[in-house]
Amino acid sequence: MAYGIQLPVQSQSTLYAEPWEAAAGPEDLLAVARAADRAGFAYLACCDHVAIPRRLASAMSTVWYDPVATLAFLAAATARTRLLSHVAVVGLRHPLLTAKQYATLDHLSGGRLILGVGAGHVREEFEVLGADFERRGAVLDESIDALRAALGADDFPEHHGKLYDFEGLGQRPRPAQDRVPLWVGGSSPAALRRAALKGDGWLPQGDPRDVLPDRIARIRRLRQEAGIEGPFTVGAIAEPLYVGTPDWDVGRRTVSGSADAIAESLRAYRAMGVDQVQVRFRSRSRDELVGQIEQFGEEVAPLLP
């Protein structure tokens, strides 16, 4: 079972950001990314928001780094870990623009991109950019089809749909990968169907453990009914973790303790059919977070299936 991490600092929602992140910056991101790369993390993830309205700023904050710029910055400082947009709100941009940005990222990183996509939820972002908020699901559906073409092998991709129509327009550099993995985020019935029928993987939206098996089974069933074969990566987001016995209040939801205890907790996801789990560690400083990442890689990771 692979393990990845949503980076700190780059998004600072009050739901998960630690106090130390408010004063953090590029050097902190680099230290965390390099630690995760050394510790065998499958990916580094970065979120996508263009602008946060005042009505949501107190909860979401306004700190949301651009995912393409951030992942490109970290690509040059890492060697193995993949680079995941979790998730890119691709309906905010024309597919050719999205393809240009992410194809370049894949090219520069030597084929380490995983393109995670989602419908988005902040109405004001869509409105100020002239994007269709009410029909964002349908826009995402066609955007995925257009991106499949634009990130494919053809220098002159072609797509003819209801919303986007292009051909005869060349885009280089091409992605380094023959097929860029496209993971679909979200846990609504529409998102599950979209992931099953259009994606190479599913990124749930913080689903609790008790609902994951039914949703995974639904995705498997939809793919089987549609006759879709091939690899498909099922994801999960674990509860906050702390490796070892904390001497401070890490919160009641945090899974803490020995490497064996944490590995046992994570192995339960594998038994549900999960292929990759996203982890996040409680920490009071960058150094503590780097230490948690290193300890996880050394002690917990070898115990995972």
Side-chain angles (χ1 to χ4, degrees):
M1 182 170 64
Y3 51 96
I5 188 170
Q6 180 79 250
L7 288 163
V9 182
Q10 53 82 31
S11 67
Q12 296 189 27
S13 166
T14 58
L15 291 176
Y16 48 73
E18 301 285 6
W20 68 266
E21 295 178 48
E27 289 301 320
D28 303 286
L29 268 176
L30 282 173
V32 172
R34 286 169 172 155
D37 193 39
R38 293 192 302 267
F41 279 65
Y43 62 76
L44 309 170
C46 187
C47 301
D48 181 23
H49 278 291
V50 172
I52 306 301
R54 288 187 185 275
R55 69 180 178 88
L56 297 175
S58 61
M60 292 180 64
S61 90
T62 56
V63 179
W64 297 84
Y65 286 33
D66 177 78
V68 178
T70 305
L71 294 174
F73 173 66
L74 298 175
T78 55
R80 296 174 298 176
T81 186
R82 304 199 74 169
L83 309 162
L84 169 65
S85 57
H86 188 178
V87 289
V89 185
V90 295
L92 295 176
R93 307 164 182 92
H94 192 285
L96 284 179
L97 175 59
T98 298
K100 168 59 73 175
Q101 294 173 315
Y102 283 101
T104 303
L105 173 57
D106 193 62
H107 176 79
L108 292 173
S109 66
R112 288 192 277 147
L113 171 67
I114 303 172
L115 181 57
V117 301
H121 66 95
V122 179
R123 176 184 292 274
E124 289 91 336
E125 281 185 308
F126 282 75
E127 291 175 344
V128 75
L129 295 173
D132 191 336
F133 180 77
E134 297 297 340
R135 298 181 62 246
R136 63 193 183 280
V139 172
L140 176 55
D141 285 338
E142 186 172 331
S143 294
I144 291 173
D145 295 337
L147 285 167
R148 287 287 194 201
L151 293 171
D154 195 339
D155 287 6
F156 292 86
E158 183 175 341
H159 171 80
H160 303 287
K162 294 180 179 179
L163 302 171
Y164 306 112
D165 190 286
F166 53 83
E167 65 176 313
L169 296 168
Q171 284 194 324
R172 291 184 73 106
R174 305 306 301 153
Q177 299 177 85
D178 292 334
R179 180 183 175 94
V180 172
L182 197 154
W183 294 356
V184 177
S187 298
S188 68
L192 294 179
R193 184 173 186 82
R194 184 176 298 119
L197 302 184
K198 292 181 176 290
D200 301 309
W202 175 50
L203 293 165
Q205 194 169 357
D207 299 56
R209 294 184 185 224
D210 60 343
V211 305
L212 274 174
D214 285 346
R215 290 178 177 169
I216 293 170
R218 174 171 170 77
I219 288 174
R220 304 282 190 210
R221 185 170 63 252
L222 286 167
R223 288 176 64 81
Q224 183 177 27
E225 291 171 354
I228 301 174
E229 299 179 351
F232 187 87
T233 302
V234 173
I237 300 176
E239 300 88 350
L241 303 179
Y242 193 90
V243 186
T245 302
D247 59 4
W248 57 288
D249 183 7
V250 294
R252 62 180 182 82
R253 290 187 62 250
T254 300
V255 177
S256 63
S258 68
D260 286 332
I262 291 174
E264 181 180 4
S265 175
L266 294 177
R267 284 196 297 266
Y269 284 108
R270 189 71 188 103
M272 300 176 196
V274 169
D275 303 300
Q276 67 86 8
V277 62
Q278 186 173 117
V279 298
R280 193 175 188 101
F281 302 95
R282 296 300 317 275
S283 61
R284 293 164 294 180
S285 67
R286 182 189 85 182
D287 289 345
E288 185 170 31
L289 176 55
V290 167
Q292 283 287 299
I293 289 170
E294 292 173 343
Q295 198 171 351
F296 184 92
E298 292 169 3
E299 300 177 11
V300 179
L303 304 178
L304 299 178

